[in-house]
Amino acid sequence: MSNEINPMAFFQEPSVADLRLLACPGAEELTKLIDQHLVEWAKSAGVEKDSFIIPCECPRFQSGDAKGLVRESVRGDDIFIVVDPGNYSVTYNLFGYENHLSPDDHFANLKRLIQAVAGKAHRVSVIMPSLYGGRQHRRVVRESLDCAVALQELQTMGVRNIITFDAHDPRVQNAVPLLSFDNAMPTYQVLKSLLKKNPEISFDKEKFIVVSPDEGAMNRNMYFSSVLGCNLGMFYKRRDYTRVVNGRNPIVAHEYLGDSVEGKTVFIADDIIASGESMLEVAGNLKERGAARIIANATFPLFTSGLKKFDQAVADGKLDYVVGTNLTYRQPELLTRDWYVDVDVSKYAAYFVVALNHDMSVSSIIDPIKKIEALLAKRS
Protein backbone atom coordinates (compact mmCIF):
# COMPACT_ATOMS: atom_id res chain seq x y z
CA MET A 1 0.00 0.00 0.00
CA SER A 2 1.26 3.52 -0.77
CA ASN A 3 2.15 6.08 1.87
CA GLU A 4 -1.01 8.07 1.07
CA ILE A 5 -3.65 7.78 3.75
CA ASN A 6 -6.74 6.04 2.37
CA PRO A 7 -8.88 5.00 5.34
CA MET A 8 -11.51 3.37 3.11
CA ALA A 9 -8.84 1.07 1.69
CA PHE A 10 -7.66 0.29 5.22
CA PHE A 11 -10.98 -1.41 5.94
CA GLN A 12 -10.34 -3.75 3.00
CA GLU A 13 -7.06 -4.85 4.60
CA PRO A 14 -6.75 -7.31 7.51
CA SER A 15 -6.97 -5.48 10.85
CA VAL A 16 -5.12 -6.24 14.08
CA ALA A 17 -8.45 -7.11 15.74
CA ASP A 18 -12.03 -5.87 15.77
CA LEU A 19 -12.01 -2.11 16.30
CA ARG A 20 -14.02 -0.74 19.25
CA LEU A 21 -14.25 2.67 20.93
CA LEU A 22 -14.87 3.51 24.59
CA ALA A 23 -15.78 7.05 25.70
CA CYS A 24 -14.84 8.14 29.21
CA PRO A 25 -17.48 10.38 30.84
CA GLY A 26 -17.09 13.81 29.24
CA ALA A 27 -15.52 12.54 25.99
CA GLU A 28 -18.77 11.39 24.35
CA GLU A 29 -18.98 14.26 21.85
CA LEU A 30 -15.51 13.74 20.36
CA THR A 31 -15.92 9.93 20.40
CA LYS A 32 -19.19 10.13 18.44
CA LEU A 33 -17.57 12.36 15.81
CA ILE A 34 -14.66 9.93 15.45
CA ASP A 35 -17.14 7.06 15.23
CA GLN A 36 -19.08 8.78 12.42
CA HIS A 37 -15.94 8.97 10.28
CA LEU A 38 -15.05 5.33 10.97
CA VAL A 39 -18.59 4.15 10.11
CA GLU A 40 -18.56 6.19 6.88
CA TRP A 41 -15.17 4.78 5.79
CA ALA A 42 -16.18 1.22 6.71
CA LYS A 43 -19.41 1.44 4.67
CA SER A 44 -17.46 2.82 1.69
CA ALA A 45 -15.33 -0.34 1.88
CA GLY A 46 -18.42 -2.56 2.05
CA VAL A 47 -18.27 -3.15 5.81
CA GLU A 48 -21.72 -2.57 7.31
CA LYS A 49 -21.36 -1.19 10.82
CA ASP A 50 -23.74 1.09 12.70
CA SER A 51 -21.25 2.09 15.38
CA PHE A 52 -17.87 1.08 16.81
CA ILE A 53 -18.72 2.48 20.25
CA ILE A 54 -19.19 0.13 23.20
CA PRO A 55 -21.50 1.57 25.91
CA CYS A 56 -19.65 2.23 29.17
CA GLU A 57 -20.00 4.37 32.26
CA CYS A 58 -18.40 5.26 35.57
CA PRO A 59 -21.26 5.31 38.10
CA ARG A 60 -20.68 6.72 41.58
CA PHE A 61 -21.85 5.56 44.97
CA GLN A 62 -23.41 8.07 47.36
CA SER A 63 -20.08 8.37 49.16
CA GLY A 64 -18.42 9.59 45.95
CA ASP A 65 -16.57 6.33 45.23
CA ALA A 66 -16.83 5.16 41.63
CA LYS A 67 -16.32 2.13 39.41
CA GLY A 68 -15.83 1.53 35.70
CA LEU A 69 -18.43 -0.49 33.80
CA VAL A 70 -18.22 -1.77 30.20
CA ARG A 71 -21.58 -2.98 28.86
CA GLU A 72 -20.39 -5.44 26.15
CA SER A 73 -17.74 -8.10 25.70
CA VAL A 74 -14.33 -6.78 24.62
CA ARG A 75 -12.47 -10.09 24.43
CA GLY A 76 -9.97 -10.02 21.59
CA ASP A 77 -10.92 -6.49 20.48
CA ASP A 78 -8.61 -3.59 19.61
CA ILE A 79 -9.86 -1.02 22.14
CA PHE A 80 -9.42 2.75 21.82
CA ILE A 81 -10.42 4.72 24.94
CA VAL A 82 -11.09 8.45 24.48
CA VAL A 83 -10.73 10.75 27.51
CA ASP A 84 -11.01 14.54 27.95
CA PRO A 85 -9.23 15.49 31.20
CA GLY A 86 -10.24 19.13 30.77
CA ASN A 87 -14.03 18.65 30.73
CA TYR A 88 -15.15 20.41 33.90
CA SER A 89 -18.84 20.26 32.94
CA VAL A 90 -19.28 16.64 34.15
CA THR A 91 -20.82 16.57 37.64
CA TYR A 92 -21.90 14.09 40.32
CA ASN A 93 -23.63 14.35 43.67
CA LEU A 94 -21.39 14.22 46.72
CA PHE A 95 -23.06 14.46 50.14
CA GLY A 96 -25.73 16.77 48.73
CA TYR A 97 -23.29 18.95 46.78
CA GLU A 98 -22.85 19.06 43.01
CA ASN A 99 -19.21 18.23 42.44
CA HIS A 100 -17.42 18.87 39.12
CA LEU A 101 -14.94 16.33 37.79
CA SER A 102 -11.35 17.56 37.85
CA PRO A 103 -8.55 16.31 35.55
CA ASP A 104 -7.61 13.92 38.39
CA ASP A 105 -11.14 12.45 38.35
CA HIS A 106 -11.08 12.01 34.57
CA PHE A 107 -7.73 10.22 34.75
CA ALA A 108 -9.11 7.97 37.50
CA ASN A 109 -12.13 7.16 35.26
CA LEU A 110 -9.75 6.25 32.43
CA LYS A 111 -7.95 3.80 34.73
CA ARG A 112 -11.30 2.38 35.86
CA LEU A 113 -12.31 1.57 32.28
CA ILE A 114 -8.91 0.01 31.60
CA GLN A 115 -9.49 -2.15 34.68
CA ALA A 116 -13.02 -3.02 33.49
CA VAL A 117 -11.54 -4.29 30.23
CA ALA A 118 -9.57 -6.54 32.62
CA GLY A 119 -6.89 -7.64 30.20
CA LYS A 120 -9.41 -9.36 27.92
CA ALA A 121 -8.86 -6.99 24.97
CA HIS A 122 -6.29 -7.76 22.30
CA ARG A 123 -4.80 -4.30 22.78
CA VAL A 124 -5.68 -1.04 24.58
CA SER A 125 -4.86 2.40 23.18
CA VAL A 126 -5.67 5.76 24.75
CA ILE A 127 -6.68 8.91 22.85
CA MET A 128 -6.00 11.77 25.27
CA PRO A 129 -6.05 14.99 23.21
CA SER A 130 -5.26 17.18 26.23
CA LEU A 131 -2.44 15.37 28.01
CA TYR A 132 -3.21 14.83 31.70
CA GLY A 133 -0.68 16.69 33.86
CA GLY A 134 0.98 17.99 30.70
CA ARG A 135 1.58 21.46 32.13
CA GLN A 136 3.60 19.95 34.99
CA HIS A 137 6.20 18.47 32.67
CA ARG A 138 9.47 19.35 34.37
CA ARG A 139 10.96 19.72 37.82
CA VAL A 140 12.41 23.08 38.85
CA VAL A 141 12.28 22.80 42.66
CA ARG A 142 10.91 20.10 45.00
CA GLU A 143 7.77 19.35 43.00
CA SER A 144 5.89 16.47 41.45
CA LEU A 145 6.19 15.25 37.86
CA ASP A 146 2.52 14.39 37.31
CA CYS A 147 2.58 13.74 33.57
CA ALA A 148 5.58 11.41 33.67
CA VAL A 149 4.10 9.36 36.52
CA ALA A 150 0.71 9.17 34.76
CA LEU A 151 2.30 7.87 31.55
CA GLN A 152 4.26 5.26 33.48
CA GLU A 153 1.06 4.21 35.25
CA LEU A 154 -0.74 3.70 31.93
CA GLN A 155 2.19 1.69 30.61
CA THR A 156 2.11 -0.52 33.72
CA MET A 157 -1.63 -1.11 33.16
CA GLY A 158 -0.92 -2.48 29.70
CA VAL A 159 -1.73 0.49 27.44
CA ARG A 160 0.10 0.05 24.12
CA ASN A 161 -0.45 3.37 22.33
CA ILE A 162 -1.07 6.93 23.50
CA ILE A 163 -2.30 9.54 21.04
CA THR A 164 -2.25 13.17 22.15
CA PHE A 165 -2.46 16.56 20.44
CA ASP A 166 -0.19 19.59 20.82
CA ALA A 167 1.48 18.43 24.02
CA HIS A 168 2.73 21.29 26.20
CA ASP A 169 6.16 19.65 26.02
CA PRO A 170 6.30 16.40 23.97
CA ARG A 171 9.55 15.48 25.71
CA VAL A 172 7.44 14.02 28.52
CA GLN A 173 7.43 10.85 26.40
CA ASN A 174 11.00 10.34 27.62
CA ALA A 175 9.37 8.96 30.78
CA VAL A 176 8.07 5.98 28.75
CA PRO A 177 10.63 5.43 25.96
CA LEU A 178 9.30 1.95 25.09
CA LEU A 179 5.64 3.04 24.82
CA SER A 180 4.14 4.15 21.49
CA PHE A 181 3.46 7.87 21.95
CA ASP A 182 2.15 10.03 19.09
CA ASN A 183 1.89 13.81 19.44
CA ALA A 184 -0.12 15.30 16.57
CA MET A 185 -0.41 18.97 15.66
CA PRO A 186 -3.70 20.19 14.10
CA THR A 187 -1.85 22.75 11.93
CA TYR A 188 -3.58 21.81 8.66
CA GLN A 189 -7.05 21.83 10.23
CA VAL A 190 -6.41 25.28 11.77
CA LEU A 191 -5.20 26.78 8.49
CA LYS A 192 -8.14 25.25 6.60
CA SER A 193 -10.63 26.77 9.07
CA LEU A 194 -8.76 30.09 9.03
CA LEU A 195 -9.09 30.32 5.25
CA LYS A 196 -12.75 29.33 5.43
CA LYS A 197 -13.35 32.12 7.97
CA ASN A 198 -11.39 34.67 5.96
CA PRO A 199 -10.75 33.61 2.33
CA GLU A 200 -9.18 36.99 1.54
CA ILE A 201 -6.34 36.64 4.04
CA SER A 202 -2.88 37.05 2.51
CA PHE A 203 0.14 35.14 3.80
CA ASP A 204 2.57 37.46 2.00
CA LYS A 205 5.39 38.32 4.41
CA GLU A 206 4.74 42.04 3.81
CA LYS A 207 1.17 41.61 5.06
CA PHE A 208 1.30 38.65 7.47
CA ILE A 209 3.55 37.68 10.38
CA VAL A 210 3.52 34.87 12.95
CA VAL A 211 4.36 35.85 16.53
CA SER A 212 5.08 33.46 19.39
CA PRO A 213 3.54 34.64 22.70
CA ASP A 214 6.48 33.20 24.68
CA GLU A 215 9.56 30.99 24.45
CA GLY A 216 7.63 27.78 25.14
CA ALA A 217 5.42 28.22 22.06
CA MET A 218 8.29 28.87 19.64
CA ASN A 219 8.27 25.45 17.95
CA ARG A 220 4.59 25.53 16.93
CA ASN A 221 4.88 29.14 15.70
CA MET A 222 8.09 28.34 13.83
CA TYR A 223 6.23 25.57 12.01
CA PHE A 224 3.39 27.93 11.03
CA SER A 225 5.84 30.56 9.76
CA SER A 226 7.86 27.97 7.84
CA VAL A 227 4.94 26.39 5.99
CA LEU A 228 3.39 29.80 5.25
CA GLY A 229 6.69 31.34 4.16
CA CYS A 230 6.34 34.41 6.39
CA ASN A 231 8.46 36.02 9.10
CA LEU A 232 8.47 35.10 12.77
CA GLY A 233 8.58 37.29 15.86
CA MET A 234 8.38 36.42 19.54
CA PHE A 235 7.70 37.72 23.02
CA TYR A 236 9.58 36.68 26.10
CA LYS A 237 8.16 37.00 29.59
CA ARG A 238 9.98 38.92 32.28
CA ARG A 239 8.92 37.33 35.55
CA ASP A 240 9.20 38.25 39.22
CA TYR A 241 11.05 35.25 40.64
CA THR A 242 10.79 36.57 44.20
CA ARG A 243 7.05 35.77 44.38
CA VAL A 244 4.70 32.90 43.56
CA VAL A 245 1.07 33.71 42.66
CA ASN A 246 -1.43 30.96 41.78
CA GLY A 247 1.40 28.45 41.51
CA ARG A 248 3.69 30.46 39.23
CA ASN A 249 6.00 33.47 39.20
CA PRO A 250 3.98 36.51 38.06
CA ILE A 251 4.81 38.11 34.70
CA VAL A 252 6.25 41.62 34.97
CA ALA A 253 6.25 42.47 31.25
CA HIS A 254 6.17 41.00 27.75
CA GLU A 255 9.16 42.04 25.61
CA TYR A 256 8.94 41.79 21.79
CA LEU A 257 11.70 40.60 19.46
CA GLY A 258 11.17 40.59 15.69
CA ASP A 259 10.22 42.54 12.57
CA SER A 260 7.76 45.41 12.54
CA VAL A 261 4.11 44.37 12.73
CA GLU A 262 2.77 47.72 11.51
CA GLY A 263 -0.12 47.28 9.08
CA LYS A 264 0.18 43.47 9.14
CA THR A 265 -2.10 40.61 10.12
CA VAL A 266 -0.54 38.93 13.18
CA PHE A 267 -1.12 35.24 13.93
CA ILE A 268 -0.37 34.10 17.51
CA ALA A 269 -0.40 30.35 18.25
CA ASP A 270 -0.31 28.68 21.66
CA ASP A 271 -1.42 25.33 23.07
CA ILE A 272 -3.79 26.66 25.77
CA ILE A 273 -5.81 29.75 26.49
CA ALA A 274 -6.46 29.51 30.23
CA SER A 275 -7.31 32.87 31.80
CA GLY A 276 -6.20 34.52 28.57
CA GLU A 277 -4.39 37.37 30.32
CA SER A 278 -1.06 36.72 28.57
CA MET A 279 -2.69 36.40 25.15
CA LEU A 280 -4.64 39.64 25.59
CA GLU A 281 -1.59 41.51 26.88
CA VAL A 282 0.41 40.33 23.87
CA ALA A 283 -2.44 41.31 21.52
CA GLY A 284 -2.67 44.76 23.13
CA ASN A 285 1.09 45.22 22.82
CA LEU A 286 0.98 44.31 19.11
CA LYS A 287 -1.95 46.69 18.49
CA GLU A 288 0.08 49.50 20.08
CA ARG A 289 2.84 48.64 17.60
CA GLY A 290 0.42 49.21 14.72
CA ALA A 291 -0.77 45.67 13.87
CA ALA A 292 -3.80 45.76 11.56
CA ARG A 293 -5.40 42.51 12.67
CA ILE A 294 -4.76 40.03 15.50
CA ILE A 295 -5.69 36.35 15.17
CA ALA A 296 -5.13 34.12 18.22
CA ASN A 297 -4.97 30.34 17.98
CA ALA A 298 -5.13 27.87 20.87
CA THR A 299 -5.58 24.11 20.51
CA PHE A 300 -7.34 23.99 23.89
CA PRO A 301 -9.60 27.06 24.38
CA LEU A 302 -10.33 26.72 28.11
CA PHE A 303 -11.18 30.36 28.99
CA THR A 304 -10.95 29.63 32.72
CA SER A 305 -11.81 33.23 33.65
CA GLY A 306 -14.80 33.52 31.33
CA LEU A 307 -15.32 35.33 28.04
CA LYS A 308 -15.99 38.94 29.09
CA LYS A 309 -12.37 40.05 28.73
CA PHE A 310 -12.26 38.65 25.21
CA ASP A 311 -15.61 40.19 24.31
CA GLN A 312 -14.23 43.54 25.44
CA ALA A 313 -10.93 43.06 23.57
CA VAL A 314 -12.83 42.34 20.34
CA ALA A 315 -15.11 45.34 20.94
CA ASP A 316 -12.05 47.55 21.54
CA GLY A 317 -10.40 46.32 18.33
CA LYS A 318 -7.48 44.68 20.15
CA LEU A 319 -8.39 41.20 18.87
CA ASP A 320 -10.18 40.02 15.72
CA TYR A 321 -10.87 36.38 16.46
CA VAL A 322 -9.72 33.25 18.25
CA VAL A 323 -9.27 29.90 16.52
CA GLY A 324 -9.73 26.86 18.81
CA THR A 325 -10.44 23.14 18.38
CA ASN A 326 -13.01 20.62 19.62
CA LEU A 327 -10.30 18.49 21.23
CA THR A 328 -11.54 19.53 24.66
CA TYR A 329 -14.77 20.79 26.23
CA ARG A 330 -15.80 24.27 25.13
CA GLN A 331 -18.28 26.43 27.01
CA PRO A 332 -21.64 26.55 25.15
CA GLU A 333 -21.44 30.36 25.32
CA LEU A 334 -18.10 30.28 23.49
CA LEU A 335 -19.62 28.51 20.49
CA THR A 336 -22.13 31.38 20.10
CA ARG A 337 -19.42 34.06 19.79
CA ASP A 338 -18.84 35.53 16.32
CA TRP A 339 -15.16 36.01 17.14
CA TYR A 340 -14.60 32.31 17.86
CA VAL A 341 -13.72 29.80 15.11
CA ASP A 342 -14.22 26.16 16.13
CA VAL A 343 -11.99 23.63 14.33
CA ASP A 344 -13.18 20.02 14.05
CA VAL A 345 -10.19 17.69 14.52
CA SER A 346 -12.20 14.45 14.86
CA LYS A 347 -11.36 13.27 11.34
CA TYR A 348 -7.64 13.67 12.11
CA ALA A 349 -8.08 11.54 15.25
CA ALA A 350 -10.04 8.96 13.26
CA TYR A 351 -7.10 8.64 10.84
CA PHE A 352 -4.91 7.56 13.77
CA VAL A 353 -7.47 5.03 14.97
CA VAL A 354 -7.91 3.32 11.62
CA ALA A 355 -4.16 3.34 10.87
CA LEU A 356 -3.20 1.84 14.24
CA ASN A 357 -5.99 -0.73 13.94
CA HIS A 358 -4.35 -1.96 10.73
CA ASP A 359 -0.75 -1.59 11.97
CA MET A 360 -0.09 0.96 9.25
CA SER A 361 2.42 3.83 9.41
CA VAL A 362 1.11 7.08 10.88
CA SER A 363 4.11 9.17 9.83
CA SER A 364 2.23 10.74 6.92
CA ILE A 365 -0.65 11.61 9.28
CA ILE A 366 1.64 13.32 11.79
CA ASP A 367 3.39 15.38 9.08
CA PRO A 368 0.65 17.17 7.12
CA ILE A 369 3.03 19.26 5.00
CA LYS A 370 1.74 17.86 1.68
CA LYS A 371 -1.86 18.64 2.62
CA ILE A 372 -0.89 22.15 3.70
CA GLU A 373 1.02 22.71 0.44
CA ALA A 374 -2.00 21.47 -1.54
CA LEU A 375 -4.29 23.77 0.46
CA LEU A 376 -2.12 26.82 -0.23
CA ALA A 377 -1.61 25.86 -3.90
CA LYS A 378 -5.33 25.43 -4.41
CA ARG A 379 -5.96 28.81 -2.87
CA SER A 380 -3.36 30.57 -5.04
Side-chain angles (χ1 to χ4, degrees), residues 39 42 50 56 64 100 111 209 235 248 260 264 283 351 355 372:
V39 169
D50 292 329
C56 64
H100 290 255
K111 293 189 290 183
I209 185 171
F235 282 88
R248 63 180 183 177
S260 170
K264 296 178 182 177
Y351 277 135
I372 294 174

Side-chain angles (χ1 to χ4, degrees), residues 206-207 209 256 259-266 286 289-292:
E206 299 302 320
K207 300 177 181 177
I209 185 171
Y256 177 70
D259 289 348
S260 170
V261 299
E262 190 168 353
K264 296 178 182 177
T265 295
V266 182
L286 291 167
R289 295 172 183 272

Side-chain angles (χ1 to χ4, degrees), residues 62-81:
Q62 291 179 335
S63 60
D65 293 327
K67 65 178 179 181
L69 191 60
V70 176
R71 294 293 186 180
E72 294 179 12
S73 171
V74 296
R75 189 177 293 276
D77 291 341
D78 193 15
I79 300 293
F80 290 82
I81 307 178

